[in-house]
Amino acid sequence: MKIGIVCYPTFGGSGVVATELGIALAKKGHKVHFITYSIPVRLDTHSENLFYHEVRVSDYPLFEYQPYELVLSSMLVNVVKYEKLDLLHVHYAIPHASAAYMAKQILASQGIHIPFITTLHGTDITLLGKDASFEPVITFAINQSDAVTAVSKSLQQDTYKYFNIKKEVQVIPNFINLDEYTFENSGEQKKVYAPYGEKILIHVSNFRKVKRVEDVLRVFDKVRKKIPAKLILIGDGPERSNIQRLCRELDTCGDIHSLGKVVSPEKVLPVADLFLLTSETESFGLSALEAMASKVPVISTNTGGIPEVNKQGYSGFMSNVGDIEDMAKNAVYLLEDEDRLAQFRSNAYEQAQKFEIKKVLPMYENLYTSLTP
Ligand code: GMT
């Protein structure tokens, strides 16, 4: 099959899922065309089945805002037509679903019929999409999609709640490729971050407000008062300066390793003893799944789709959003007992196995087959 994938090429979860999906499809012999504004960060595999089409908006002085969506639609028309694609799969509704709808209509006027699938990832529904400035377009584009998927039951329900959706929203969860988790040198690497055998807590995100990274620091501060510990921060984003300010205020900067954006977090995650995910809302929590695949238990909030991923008292613990005391208490409970920690590590890995790519990929392939002649 020839599949066009539209996504954000950045470190965000939707781009990661779209890229890993494309790579897996290419390995199975499908021709996969990525259509976006730069090479997806995780697209480091070279394959005769993978193609990249850059969407470049020229900087015309009349525009205060560049019309990316129109250029994307035109590019979709061209790629579908000249590469003879069978379907389009767009990740993150804004603005990809409406761009795909526009391309579909243009192509239909030329006698070319192409189905498009919209995969909803989270903030395109729970934060941005439901905002009045987007809502009518998003509702329309979702209803016009040939199929719609959401990455968790929670996101499926939020979509029905916030939008007047006439289509079925199918749940296809995020997935993980456990073959990428090799645990190479993690013992040696651990000493780099924690030379005196301190426990290591880790957080990975795009440092947006919704992640409540300040709570990560506050939980860490409480934990290190009880147990010698270090914190690794992976990622970058708008909250970084607030984080720096808070670590100075709490006097914890010396125990924090900020690694910035890391292309392969699976190479660092296995050094950690606990993963912290303090989000206000989270449709799934791919980063938590990546931690569990690294045998790292998860201390998280209980919001959105997180309970579908992190099992209370098994792969980790969940607390109400903002309940720093409870999160710190649960973290100490796990870190203070080696046997307990080892048990939770193995549970976390077992939980991650439920989301193995080989279980999830056929769901997408079946959907593709159902939409093509
Ligand atoms: O905000 C992010 O975490 C990035 C965002 C994205 O779309 O790039 O992630 C969302 O999609 C991920 C992949 O499906 C989910 O695992 C994340 O939970 C979701 N983020 C939120 O809902 C906040």
Short mmCIF file of all heavy atoms in Angstrom, two decimals, residues 113-177:
data_model
loop_
_atom_site.label_atom_id
_atom_site.label_comp_id
_atom_site.label_asym_id
_atom_site.label_seq_id
_atom_site.Cartn_x
_atom_site.Cartn_y
_atom_site.Cartn_z
N HIS A 113 -10.00 9.73 -6.04
CA HIS A 113 -10.68 9.58 -4.75
C HIS A 113 -9.73 8.96 -3.74
O HIS A 113 -9.20 7.88 -3.96
CB HIS A 113 -11.95 8.75 -4.91
CG HIS A 113 -12.92 9.48 -5.79
ND1 HIS A 113 -13.71 10.50 -5.33
CD2 HIS A 113 -13.14 9.39 -7.13
CE1 HIS A 113 -14.40 11.01 -6.35
NE2 HIS A 113 -14.06 10.34 -7.45
N ILE A 114 -9.48 9.70 -2.66
CA ILE A 114 -8.51 9.23 -1.66
C ILE A 114 -9.14 9.32 -0.27
O ILE A 114 -9.67 10.36 0.11
CB ILE A 114 -7.19 10.05 -1.73
CG1 ILE A 114 -6.19 9.56 -0.68
CG2 ILE A 114 -7.40 11.53 -1.54
CD1 ILE A 114 -4.91 9.07 -1.25
N PRO A 115 -9.10 8.23 0.48
CA PRO A 115 -9.62 8.32 1.85
C PRO A 115 -8.57 8.94 2.79
O PRO A 115 -7.38 8.84 2.53
CB PRO A 115 -9.85 6.85 2.23
CG PRO A 115 -8.97 6.05 1.34
CD PRO A 115 -8.66 6.88 0.12
N PHE A 116 -9.05 9.61 3.86
CA PHE A 116 -8.08 10.06 4.87
C PHE A 116 -8.53 9.70 6.27
O PHE A 116 -9.71 9.73 6.59
CB PHE A 116 -7.73 11.55 4.71
CG PHE A 116 -8.74 12.55 5.24
CD1 PHE A 116 -8.61 13.09 6.51
CD2 PHE A 116 -9.79 12.98 4.43
CE1 PHE A 116 -9.52 14.04 6.99
CE2 PHE A 116 -10.70 13.93 4.89
CZ PHE A 116 -10.57 14.46 6.18
N ILE A 117 -7.53 9.31 7.05
CA ILE A 117 -7.76 8.92 8.44
C ILE A 117 -7.19 10.01 9.33
O ILE A 117 -6.07 10.49 9.09
CB ILE A 117 -7.00 7.60 8.77
CG1 ILE A 117 -7.55 6.47 7.91
CG2 ILE A 117 -7.09 7.26 10.25
CD1 ILE A 117 -6.64 5.26 7.85
N THR A 118 -7.96 10.42 10.33
CA THR A 118 -7.44 11.39 11.29
C THR A 118 -7.20 10.69 12.62
O THR A 118 -8.11 10.06 13.16
CB THR A 118 -8.45 12.54 11.50
OG1 THR A 118 -8.68 13.18 10.23
CG2 THR A 118 -7.94 13.57 12.49
N THR A 119 -5.97 10.77 13.12
CA THR A 119 -5.68 10.25 14.46
C THR A 119 -5.58 11.42 15.43
O THR A 119 -4.77 12.34 15.23
CB THR A 119 -4.39 9.41 14.45
OG1 THR A 119 -4.67 8.19 13.77
CG2 THR A 119 -3.93 9.06 15.87
N LEU A 120 -6.43 11.37 16.44
CA LEU A 120 -6.45 12.43 17.46
C LEU A 120 -5.44 12.05 18.54
O LEU A 120 -5.39 10.88 18.96
CB LEU A 120 -7.85 12.54 18.06
CG LEU A 120 -8.97 12.70 17.01
CD1 LEU A 120 -10.35 12.59 17.67
CD2 LEU A 120 -8.82 14.04 16.27
N HIS A 121 -4.67 13.02 19.00
CA HIS A 121 -3.58 12.67 19.93
C HIS A 121 -3.76 13.23 21.33
O HIS A 121 -3.17 12.71 22.26
CB HIS A 121 -2.24 13.12 19.36
CG HIS A 121 -1.71 12.13 18.36
ND1 HIS A 121 -0.96 11.05 18.71
CD2 HIS A 121 -1.87 12.06 17.01
CE1 HIS A 121 -0.65 10.34 17.64
NE2 HIS A 121 -1.20 10.94 16.59
N GLY A 122 -4.48 14.31 21.49
CA GLY A 122 -4.61 14.82 22.86
C GLY A 122 -4.98 16.27 22.88
O GLY A 122 -6.16 16.64 22.85
N THR A 123 -3.95 17.12 22.88
CA THR A 123 -4.24 18.54 23.03
C THR A 123 -5.00 19.11 21.83
O THR A 123 -5.62 20.17 21.94
CB THR A 123 -2.93 19.34 23.25
OG1 THR A 123 -1.97 18.89 22.28
CG2 THR A 123 -2.37 19.08 24.63
N ASP A 124 -4.97 18.39 20.70
CA ASP A 124 -5.78 18.83 19.55
C ASP A 124 -7.27 18.75 19.89
O ASP A 124 -8.10 19.38 19.24
CB ASP A 124 -5.46 18.02 18.27
CG ASP A 124 -5.38 16.52 18.49
OD1 ASP A 124 -5.40 16.07 19.64
OD2 ASP A 124 -5.31 15.79 17.48
N ILE A 125 -7.61 17.99 20.93
CA ILE A 125 -8.99 17.86 21.39
C ILE A 125 -9.17 18.53 22.75
O ILE A 125 -10.02 19.40 22.93
CB ILE A 125 -9.36 16.35 21.51
CG1 ILE A 125 -9.33 15.68 20.14
CG2 ILE A 125 -10.71 16.12 22.21
CD1 ILE A 125 -10.29 16.23 19.11
N THR A 126 -8.32 18.14 23.71
CA THR A 126 -8.57 18.54 25.10
C THR A 126 -8.21 19.99 25.41
O THR A 126 -8.76 20.57 26.33
CB THR A 126 -7.77 17.63 26.05
OG1 THR A 126 -6.39 17.66 25.65
CG2 THR A 126 -8.25 16.20 26.00
N LEU A 127 -7.29 20.59 24.66
CA LEU A 127 -6.92 21.97 24.96
C LEU A 127 -7.26 22.91 23.81
O LEU A 127 -8.13 23.75 23.91
CB LEU A 127 -5.42 22.08 25.24
CG LEU A 127 -4.92 21.61 26.60
CD1 LEU A 127 -3.42 21.83 26.70
CD2 LEU A 127 -5.61 22.35 27.72
N LEU A 128 -6.56 22.69 22.68
CA LEU A 128 -6.71 23.61 21.55
C LEU A 128 -8.03 23.44 20.83
O LEU A 128 -8.78 24.40 20.60
CB LEU A 128 -5.60 23.35 20.54
CG LEU A 128 -4.23 23.94 20.80
CD1 LEU A 128 -3.31 23.62 19.64
CD2 LEU A 128 -4.35 25.44 20.98
N GLY A 129 -8.32 22.18 20.44
CA GLY A 129 -9.43 21.90 19.54
C GLY A 129 -10.76 22.40 20.04
O GLY A 129 -11.58 22.94 19.28
N LYS A 130 -10.99 22.27 21.35
CA LYS A 130 -12.30 22.66 21.86
C LYS A 130 -12.43 24.18 22.04
O LYS A 130 -13.51 24.69 22.32
CB LYS A 130 -12.60 21.92 23.16
CG LYS A 130 -11.76 22.29 24.32
CD LYS A 130 -12.18 21.51 25.56
CE LYS A 130 -11.52 22.10 26.76
NZ LYS A 130 -11.43 21.39 27.94
N ASP A 131 -11.32 24.88 21.90
CA ASP A 131 -11.36 26.34 21.96
C ASP A 131 -12.23 26.86 20.81
O ASP A 131 -12.16 26.35 19.68
CB ASP A 131 -9.93 26.88 21.82
CG ASP A 131 -9.85 28.37 22.07
OD1 ASP A 131 -10.20 29.15 21.15
OD2 ASP A 131 -9.46 28.73 23.18
N ALA A 132 -13.04 27.89 21.09
CA ALA A 132 -13.98 28.39 20.08
C ALA A 132 -13.29 28.81 18.78
O ALA A 132 -13.89 28.78 17.70
CB ALA A 132 -14.77 29.56 20.66
N SER A 133 -12.00 29.16 18.88
CA SER A 133 -11.31 29.62 17.67
C SER A 133 -11.02 28.47 16.70
O SER A 133 -10.69 28.71 15.54
CB SER A 133 -10.01 30.35 18.04
OG SER A 133 -9.21 29.53 18.85
N PHE A 134 -11.11 27.24 17.17
CA PHE A 134 -10.87 26.09 16.29
C PHE A 134 -12.09 25.18 16.12
O PHE A 134 -12.20 24.46 15.15
CB PHE A 134 -9.74 25.20 16.86
CG PHE A 134 -8.37 25.79 16.75
CD1 PHE A 134 -7.65 26.15 17.88
CD2 PHE A 134 -7.76 25.97 15.51
CE1 PHE A 134 -6.38 26.66 17.79
CE2 PHE A 134 -6.48 26.50 15.41
CZ PHE A 134 -5.80 26.85 16.56
N GLU A 135 -12.97 25.17 17.13
CA GLU A 135 -13.98 24.13 17.26
C GLU A 135 -14.80 23.84 15.99
O GLU A 135 -14.92 22.67 15.58
CB GLU A 135 -14.89 24.44 18.47
CG GLU A 135 -15.92 23.39 18.79
CD GLU A 135 -17.16 23.52 17.92
OE1 GLU A 135 -17.61 24.65 17.64
OE2 GLU A 135 -17.66 22.46 17.49
N PRO A 136 -15.35 24.87 15.29
CA PRO A 136 -16.19 24.53 14.12
C PRO A 136 -15.40 23.79 13.04
O PRO A 136 -15.91 22.83 12.44
CB PRO A 136 -16.65 25.89 13.59
CG PRO A 136 -16.39 26.86 14.67
CD PRO A 136 -15.28 26.32 15.50
N VAL A 137 -14.16 24.20 12.82
CA VAL A 137 -13.34 23.56 11.77
C VAL A 137 -12.99 22.14 12.20
O VAL A 137 -13.04 21.20 11.39
CB VAL A 137 -12.05 24.38 11.51
CG1 VAL A 137 -11.19 23.71 10.45
CG2 VAL A 137 -12.41 25.79 11.07
N ILE A 138 -12.64 21.97 13.46
CA ILE A 138 -12.23 20.63 13.92
C ILE A 138 -13.41 19.67 13.86
O ILE A 138 -13.30 18.54 13.39
CB ILE A 138 -11.66 20.71 15.37
CG1 ILE A 138 -10.41 21.57 15.39
CG2 ILE A 138 -11.32 19.31 15.90
CD1 ILE A 138 -9.33 21.16 14.44
N THR A 139 -14.57 20.12 14.31
CA THR A 139 -15.77 19.27 14.27
C THR A 139 -16.02 18.83 12.83
O THR A 139 -16.24 17.65 12.54
CB THR A 139 -17.02 20.03 14.79
OG1 THR A 139 -16.72 20.51 16.09
CG2 THR A 139 -18.25 19.15 14.83
N PHE A 140 -15.99 19.80 11.93
CA PHE A 140 -16.25 19.51 10.52
C PHE A 140 -15.22 18.51 9.98
O PHE A 140 -15.57 17.51 9.36
CB PHE A 140 -16.21 20.82 9.72
CG PHE A 140 -16.44 20.63 8.25
CD1 PHE A 140 -17.72 20.43 7.75
CD2 PHE A 140 -15.37 20.65 7.35
CE1 PHE A 140 -17.94 20.24 6.39
CE2 PHE A 140 -15.58 20.46 5.99
CZ PHE A 140 -16.87 20.25 5.51
N ALA A 141 -13.94 18.80 10.22
CA ALA A 141 -12.87 17.96 9.64
C ALA A 141 -12.93 16.54 10.21
O ALA A 141 -12.67 15.57 9.49
CB ALA A 141 -11.51 18.59 9.89
N ILE A 142 -13.26 16.42 11.50
CA ILE A 142 -13.37 15.07 12.08
C ILE A 142 -14.53 14.33 11.41
O ILE A 142 -14.40 13.17 10.99
CB ILE A 142 -13.56 15.14 13.62
CG1 ILE A 142 -12.27 15.63 14.27
CG2 ILE A 142 -13.95 13.76 14.18
CD1 ILE A 142 -12.37 15.85 15.78
N ASN A 143 -15.66 15.01 11.29
CA ASN A 143 -16.83 14.35 10.68
C ASN A 143 -16.61 14.00 9.21
O ASN A 143 -17.23 13.07 8.70
CB ASN A 143 -18.08 15.23 10.84
CG ASN A 143 -18.66 15.12 12.24
OD1 ASN A 143 -18.62 14.03 12.85
ND2 ASN A 143 -19.16 16.22 12.78
N GLN A 144 -15.75 14.75 8.55
CA GLN A 144 -15.49 14.48 7.13
C GLN A 144 -14.39 13.43 6.91
O GLN A 144 -14.17 12.99 5.79
CB GLN A 144 -15.09 15.77 6.40
CG GLN A 144 -16.18 16.82 6.32
CD GLN A 144 -17.39 16.34 5.53
OE1 GLN A 144 -17.25 15.67 4.50
NE2 GLN A 144 -18.58 16.67 6.01
N SER A 145 -13.69 13.06 7.97
CA SER A 145 -12.62 12.05 7.83
C SER A 145 -13.27 10.72 7.47
O SER A 145 -14.38 10.41 7.91
CB SER A 145 -11.87 11.89 9.15
OG SER A 145 -11.35 13.12 9.58
N ASP A 146 -12.55 9.91 6.71
CA ASP A 146 -13.11 8.59 6.37
C ASP A 146 -13.04 7.65 7.56
O ASP A 146 -13.83 6.72 7.67
CB ASP A 146 -12.35 8.02 5.17
CG ASP A 146 -12.62 8.87 3.94
OD1 ASP A 146 -13.66 8.66 3.30
OD2 ASP A 146 -11.84 9.80 3.66
N ALA A 147 -12.09 7.88 8.43
CA ALA A 147 -12.03 7.16 9.71
C ALA A 147 -11.32 8.04 10.72
O ALA A 147 -10.49 8.89 10.34
CB ALA A 147 -11.27 5.85 9.54
N VAL A 148 -11.70 7.86 11.98
CA VAL A 148 -11.09 8.67 13.05
C VAL A 148 -10.61 7.72 14.13
O VAL A 148 -11.35 6.82 14.54
CB VAL A 148 -12.12 9.65 13.67
CG1 VAL A 148 -11.45 10.56 14.69
CG2 VAL A 148 -12.81 10.46 12.59
N THR A 149 -9.39 7.92 14.60
CA THR A 149 -8.91 7.12 15.72
C THR A 149 -8.45 8.05 16.84
O THR A 149 -8.07 9.20 16.59
CB THR A 149 -7.75 6.17 15.33
OG1 THR A 149 -6.55 6.93 15.18
CG2 THR A 149 -8.03 5.39 14.05
N ALA A 150 -8.51 7.52 18.07
CA ALA A 150 -8.01 8.25 19.23
C ALA A 150 -7.06 7.32 19.97
O ALA A 150 -7.24 6.10 19.93
CB ALA A 150 -9.16 8.68 20.14
N VAL A 151 -6.08 7.89 20.67
CA VAL A 151 -5.02 7.05 21.26
C VAL A 151 -5.40 6.45 22.61
O VAL A 151 -4.62 5.68 23.17
CB VAL A 151 -3.68 7.81 21.36
CG1 VAL A 151 -3.16 8.21 19.99
CG2 VAL A 151 -3.80 9.02 22.28
N SER A 152 -6.59 6.78 23.12
CA SER A 152 -7.04 6.15 24.37
C SER A 152 -8.57 6.24 24.45
O SER A 152 -9.18 7.04 23.72
CB SER A 152 -6.43 6.85 25.59
OG SER A 152 -6.88 8.19 25.64
N LYS A 153 -9.13 5.45 25.36
CA LYS A 153 -10.59 5.52 25.56
C LYS A 153 -10.95 6.89 26.10
O LYS A 153 -11.98 7.46 25.76
CB LYS A 153 -11.03 4.45 26.57
CG LYS A 153 -10.97 3.04 26.03
CD LYS A 153 -11.71 2.08 26.98
CE LYS A 153 -11.30 0.66 26.65
NZ LYS A 153 -10.17 0.15 27.45
N SER A 154 -10.09 7.39 26.97
CA SER A 154 -10.34 8.69 27.57
C SER A 154 -10.44 9.78 26.49
O SER A 154 -11.36 10.61 26.50
CB SER A 154 -9.22 9.00 28.56
OG SER A 154 -9.08 10.36 28.75
N LEU A 155 -9.53 9.73 25.52
CA LEU A 155 -9.56 10.74 24.45
C LEU A 155 -10.78 10.53 23.55
O LEU A 155 -11.40 11.50 23.08
CB LEU A 155 -8.25 10.69 23.63
CG LEU A 155 -8.12 11.78 22.57
CD1 LEU A 155 -8.15 13.17 23.18
CD2 LEU A 155 -6.84 11.60 21.76
N GLN A 156 -11.14 9.28 23.34
CA GLN A 156 -12.35 8.99 22.55
C GLN A 156 -13.57 9.65 23.22
O GLN A 156 -14.36 10.33 22.58
CB GLN A 156 -12.55 7.47 22.49
CG GLN A 156 -13.82 7.03 21.79
CD GLN A 156 -14.21 5.62 22.21
OE1 GLN A 156 -14.27 5.31 23.40
NE2 GLN A 156 -14.49 4.76 21.24
N GLN A 157 -13.67 9.46 24.55
CA GLN A 157 -14.82 10.01 25.28
C GLN A 157 -14.79 11.54 25.28
O GLN A 157 -15.82 12.19 25.14
CB GLN A 157 -14.87 9.46 26.72
CG GLN A 157 -15.16 7.96 26.79
CD GLN A 157 -16.38 7.54 25.95
OE1 GLN A 157 -17.45 8.14 26.05
NE2 GLN A 157 -16.21 6.54 25.08
N ASP A 158 -13.60 12.11 25.44
CA ASP A 158 -13.47 13.58 25.41
C ASP A 158 -13.90 14.12 24.05
O ASP A 158 -14.52 15.18 23.96
CB ASP A 158 -12.02 14.01 25.67
CG ASP A 158 -11.66 13.95 27.14
OD1 ASP A 158 -12.58 13.86 27.98
OD2 ASP A 158 -10.45 13.98 27.46
N THR A 159 -13.58 13.37 22.99
CA THR A 159 -13.95 13.83 21.64
C THR A 159 -15.47 13.86 21.51
O THR A 159 -16.05 14.82 20.99
CB THR A 159 -13.32 12.91 20.57
OG1 THR A 159 -11.93 12.78 20.86
CG2 THR A 159 -13.49 13.46 19.17
N TYR A 160 -16.11 12.79 22.00
CA TYR A 160 -17.59 12.78 21.94
C TYR A 160 -18.18 13.89 22.81
O TYR A 160 -19.20 14.48 22.48
CB TYR A 160 -18.12 11.43 22.43
CG TYR A 160 -17.86 10.25 21.49
CD1 TYR A 160 -17.50 9.01 21.99
CD2 TYR A 160 -17.99 10.40 20.10
CE1 TYR A 160 -17.28 7.92 21.14
CE2 TYR A 160 -17.76 9.32 19.25
CZ TYR A 160 -17.41 8.09 19.77
OH TYR A 160 -17.18 7.03 18.93
N LYS A 161 -17.49 14.16 23.94
CA LYS A 161 -18.03 15.15 24.88
C LYS A 161 -17.92 16.59 24.34
O LYS A 161 -18.85 17.37 24.43
CB LYS A 161 -17.26 15.02 26.20
CG LYS A 161 -17.80 15.85 27.34
CD LYS A 161 -17.29 15.37 28.67
CE LYS A 161 -16.10 16.19 29.11
NZ LYS A 161 -15.32 15.58 30.17
N TYR A 162 -16.76 16.91 23.76
CA TYR A 162 -16.52 18.30 23.38
C TYR A 162 -17.00 18.67 21.99
O TYR A 162 -17.10 19.84 21.66
CB TYR A 162 -15.02 18.63 23.49
CG TYR A 162 -14.46 18.51 24.88
CD1 TYR A 162 -13.26 17.84 25.12
CD2 TYR A 162 -15.12 19.08 25.97
CE1 TYR A 162 -12.74 17.73 26.40
CE2 TYR A 162 -14.60 18.97 27.25
CZ TYR A 162 -13.42 18.30 27.46
OH TYR A 162 -12.89 18.19 28.71
N PHE A 163 -17.22 17.66 21.14
CA PHE A 163 -17.57 17.96 19.74
C PHE A 163 -18.84 17.22 19.35
O PHE A 163 -19.14 16.16 19.91
CB PHE A 163 -16.43 17.52 18.79
CG PHE A 163 -15.12 18.19 19.08
CD1 PHE A 163 -14.24 17.65 20.01
CD2 PHE A 163 -14.77 19.36 18.43
CE1 PHE A 163 -13.03 18.26 20.28
CE2 PHE A 163 -13.55 19.98 18.70
CZ PHE A 163 -12.68 19.43 19.62
N ASN A 164 -19.52 17.75 18.36
CA ASN A 164 -20.72 17.09 17.87
C ASN A 164 -20.28 16.10 16.78
O ASN A 164 -20.33 16.40 15.60
CB ASN A 164 -21.67 18.17 17.33
CG ASN A 164 -22.97 17.56 16.86
OD1 ASN A 164 -23.23 16.37 17.10
ND2 ASN A 164 -23.78 18.35 16.17
N ILE A 165 -19.85 14.92 17.24
CA ILE A 165 -19.23 13.96 16.33
C ILE A 165 -20.25 12.91 15.89
O ILE A 165 -20.90 12.27 16.72
CB ILE A 165 -18.02 13.28 17.02
CG1 ILE A 165 -16.94 14.32 17.35
CG2 ILE A 165 -17.43 12.17 16.15
CD1 ILE A 165 -16.37 15.06 16.18
N LYS A 166 -20.34 12.75 14.58
CA LYS A 166 -21.30 11.78 14.04
C LYS A 166 -20.60 10.49 13.64
O LYS A 166 -21.23 9.52 13.27
CB LYS A 166 -22.03 12.39 12.85
CG LYS A 166 -22.77 13.66 13.24
CD LYS A 166 -23.70 14.14 12.16
CE LYS A 166 -24.57 15.27 12.67
NZ LYS A 166 -23.80 16.51 12.96
N LYS A 167 -19.30 10.51 13.68
CA LYS A 167 -18.51 9.34 13.26
C LYS A 167 -18.12 8.51 14.46
O LYS A 167 -18.01 9.04 15.56
CB LYS A 167 -17.19 9.82 12.63
CG LYS A 167 -17.31 10.37 11.28
CD LYS A 167 -16.08 10.04 10.46
CE LYS A 167 -16.34 8.94 9.48
NZ LYS A 167 -17.29 9.27 8.44
N GLU A 168 -17.84 7.23 14.20
CA GLU A 168 -17.29 6.41 15.28
C GLU A 168 -15.82 6.80 15.45
O GLU A 168 -15.09 6.95 14.46
CB GLU A 168 -17.38 4.93 14.88
CG GLU A 168 -17.00 4.02 16.01
CD GLU A 168 -16.49 2.66 15.54
OE1 GLU A 168 -16.76 2.28 14.38
OE2 GLU A 168 -15.81 2.00 16.35
N VAL A 169 -15.41 6.98 16.69
CA VAL A 169 -13.99 7.22 16.95
C VAL A 169 -13.41 5.91 17.51
O VAL A 169 -13.78 5.47 18.58
CB VAL A 169 -13.79 8.38 17.96
CG1 VAL A 169 -12.31 8.58 18.26
CG2 VAL A 169 -14.42 9.66 17.44
N GLN A 170 -12.52 5.31 16.72
CA GLN A 170 -11.96 4.01 17.11
C GLN A 170 -10.72 4.22 17.99
O GLN A 170 -9.91 5.11 17.70
CB GLN A 170 -11.57 3.26 15.83
CG GLN A 170 -11.13 1.84 16.06
CD GLN A 170 -10.66 1.18 14.76
OE1 GLN A 170 -11.06 1.57 13.66
NE2 GLN A 170 -9.82 0.18 14.89
N VAL A 171 -10.59 3.43 19.04
CA VAL A 171 -9.40 3.57 19.90
C VAL A 171 -8.28 2.67 19.38
O VAL A 171 -8.45 1.46 19.26
CB VAL A 171 -9.72 3.20 21.37
CG1 VAL A 171 -8.46 3.25 22.23
CG2 VAL A 171 -10.80 4.12 21.93
N ILE A 172 -7.17 3.28 19.03
CA ILE A 172 -5.94 2.53 18.72
C ILE A 172 -4.85 3.15 19.59
O ILE A 172 -4.45 4.30 19.38
CB ILE A 172 -5.56 2.60 17.22
CG1 ILE A 172 -6.72 2.07 16.34
CG2 ILE A 172 -4.28 1.79 16.97
CD1 ILE A 172 -6.40 1.93 14.86
N PRO A 173 -4.41 2.41 20.60
CA PRO A 173 -3.50 3.03 21.59
C PRO A 173 -2.11 3.30 21.03
O PRO A 173 -1.71 2.72 20.01
CB PRO A 173 -3.42 1.99 22.70
CG PRO A 173 -3.73 0.68 22.04
CD PRO A 173 -4.67 1.00 20.91
N ASN A 174 -1.37 4.13 21.74
CA ASN A 174 0.06 4.31 21.44
C ASN A 174 0.75 2.97 21.62
O ASN A 174 0.23 2.09 22.30
CB ASN A 174 0.68 5.32 22.41
CG ASN A 174 0.31 6.76 22.10
OD1 ASN A 174 0.66 7.67 22.82
ND2 ASN A 174 -0.43 6.99 21.02
N PHE A 175 1.90 2.83 21.04
CA PHE A 175 2.58 1.54 21.06
C PHE A 175 4.07 1.73 21.32
O PHE A 175 4.57 2.87 21.34
CB PHE A 175 2.37 0.83 19.71
CG PHE A 175 2.74 1.69 18.55
CD1 PHE A 175 4.05 1.80 18.15
CD2 PHE A 175 1.77 2.43 17.87
CE1 PHE A 175 4.41 2.62 17.10
CE2 PHE A 175 2.12 3.26 16.81
CZ PHE A 175 3.44 3.35 16.42
N ILE A 176 4.76 0.62 21.48
CA ILE A 176 6.18 0.68 21.78
C ILE A 176 6.90 -0.44 21.04
O ILE A 176 6.34 -1.54 20.92
CB ILE A 176 6.38 0.58 23.33
CG1 ILE A 176 7.75 1.07 23.75
CG2 ILE A 176 6.11 -0.80 23.89
CD1 ILE A 176 7.79 2.53 23.98
N ASN A 177 8.09 -0.15 20.57
CA ASN A 177 8.89 -1.20 19.93
C ASN A 177 9.95 -1.66 20.94
O ASN A 177 10.98 -1.02 21.12
CB ASN A 177 9.55 -0.64 18.67
CG ASN A 177 10.33 -1.71 17.93
OD1 ASN A 177 10.46 -2.84 18.41
ND2 ASN A 177 10.85 -1.36 16.77
#
